[in-house]
Amino acid sequence: MTGVVRTLPEVASAIAHERAVVALESSVLAQGLPIPANREAARSMSEAVTSRGAVAAITAVVRGIPTAGLTAEELERFLARDGIVKASARDIALAVARGSDAATTVAGAIALAALAGITVLATGGIGGVHRSPPYDESADLAELARTPMIVVCSGAKAILDLRATAERLDTLGVPVLGYRTAELPAFYGAESGIAVMRVDDVATIVATYRAHVALGRRAALLVVQPPPAAFALPGSVVERAVVEGVRESTRAGVQGAAMTPYLLDYVDRATSGRAREANLALLEQNAALAADIAVALSAALNSAVTSE
Ligand code: PSU
Ligand code: MN
């Protein structure tokens, strides 16, 4: 245990010695991706993290226990997607009270990771401001604004209003660093036309985060990178699918927590699975960058301790 969050021994030991740990969310596995793509994502992300010398910790509520690091058996239950509720940060307490299995969104995952003492998280895309009235806004944004953590992603999902989402991040004081890009990625593709601050190396990300924390900033630092070029989809293809999906969601009366999974599934089907391929590729790439950052951060912290 690390306080209220249960951790596996390997995760607990890494946290205690300030060794590299990368937290992963579980909503992308239990709600965002279908079977068997969700298994592929869990495997490729975990491998990308461990092969770079960091420890992977999938966050979730497991039969009522807030957790960072799932056992193989628990992971199987989440991959089966059966009876797993979706939990943003505010939903965790009810899942604890009820003893439920709950998969954490980015908001839920950073809440648990922060409690456990983990500072880096990788995901596909954060939630944000939706495109149609009532402009449903993901709790990811508010939680990012109050949780010191490095979050690596490919921006916000293209099913969202990216400009409105970028404006909210700006207002909330969440710094956004583009890793080798000066543009906020559009999740399935590289281009959004929205400017971000560009950095070209992991050392600058680590130095920025350490300065951010030293300055008493409480928000997350968002690090964004586009999907691997071989998997990126043209903006027009994604746009057509999203516009249709939003129209269909309104017709079907989809609302609240069901909205994001509905639209992701719609876009996957409308692009004959190419969106899902891009999603898998960027999840793996983000896990790899998060691991490199976690390793560099751990080295910086440990050398700071030795030189004191
Ligand atoms: N990105 C994906 N698939 C997903 C999600 C993001 O490619 O399933 C999930 C993340 O867990 C994110 C959540 O935090 O969707 C946002 O949901 P909502 O808009 O209901 O807050
Ligand atoms: Mn919502």
Side-chain angles (χ1 to χ4, degrees):
M1 294 287 287
T2 307
V4 73
V5 179
R6 191 208 73 185
T7 48
L8 296 180
E10 190 193 11
V11 176
S13 150
I15 294 169
H17 298 97
E18 287 187 323
R19 285 199 304 268
V21 182
V22 174
L24 305 172
E25 54 142 323
S26 49
S27 179
V28 67
L29 305 177
Q31 282 99 25
L33 286 169
I35 297 168
N38 62 349
R39 178 179 301 277
E40 172 63 17
R43 188 197 57 75
S44 72
M45 292 183 85
S46 300
E47 257 176 45
V49 171
T50 47
S51 69
R52 282 167 176 77
V55 176
I58 299 178
T59 59
V61 181
V62 179
R63 294 198 170 124
I65 300 173
T67 296
L70 301 180
T71 65
E73 187 193 326
E74 290 163 354
L75 177 60
E76 285 307 317
R77 236 177 32 248
F78 278 73
L79 292 177
R81 297 181 45 139
D82 204 11
I84 312 282
V85 299
K86 174 173 164 180
S88 185
R90 63 139 193 212
D91 306 312
I92 294 173
L94 182 62
V96 169
R98 284 191 168 148
S100 328
D101 275 336
T104 43
T105 64
V106 169
I110 60 177
L112 292 185
L115 276 172
I118 302 171
T119 21
V120 183
L121 174 129
T123 185
I126 58 165
V129 183
H130 281 270
R131 292 180 178 208
S132 56
Y135 305 107
D136 176 344
E137 179 178 324
S138 175
D140 287 357
L141 298 183
E143 205 63 28
L144 285 164
R146 55 176 171 244
T147 314
M149 171 108 21
I150 301 175
V151 174
V152 181
C153 64
S154 297
K157 284 151 290 168
I159 57 171
L160 301 167
D161 183 329
L162 295 186
R163 198 163 286 277
T165 301
E167 287 300 338
R168 285 292 290 146
L169 288 168
D170 196 11
T171 304
L172 291 167
V174 177
V176 183
L177 300 183
Y179 182 66
R180 299 184 177 166
T181 180
E183 209 174 334
L184 183 72
F187 195 66
Y188 301 114
E191 289 130 44
S192 68
I194 300 164
V196 294
M197 292 170 283
R198 176 179 173 134
V199 295
D200 288 293
D201 56 276
V202 165
T204 307
I205 295 170
V206 168
T208 305
Y209 185 70
R210 296 189 72 201
H212 178 82
V213 170
L215 290 161
R217 308 297 303 165
R218 303 290 305 160
L221 178 70
L222 210 57
V223 176
V224 298
Q225 67 176 344
F231 291 91
L233 294 185
S236 57
V237 171
V238 174
E239 196 50 35
R240 200 173 323 122
V242 172
V243 169
E244 275 170 26
V246 168
R247 199 186 314 123
E248 283 305 308
S249 72
T250 310
R251 197 171 301 161
V254 180
Q255 281 179 348
M259 186 61 134
T260 293
Y262 179 92
L263 289 174
L264 289 172
D265 179 57
Y266 193 96
V267 173
D268 283 346
R269 285 185 286 118
T271 58
S272 316
R274 284 171 69 203
R276 189 182 315 145
E277 293 295 314
N279 202 341
L280 287 174
L282 66 85
L283 282 165
E284 180 176 7
Q285 186 180 245
N286 292 344
L289 176 56
D292 289 342
I293 293 169
V295 167
L297 183 61
S298 157
L301 294 174
N302 284 307
S303 78
V305 170
T306 343
S307 62
E308 263 162 23

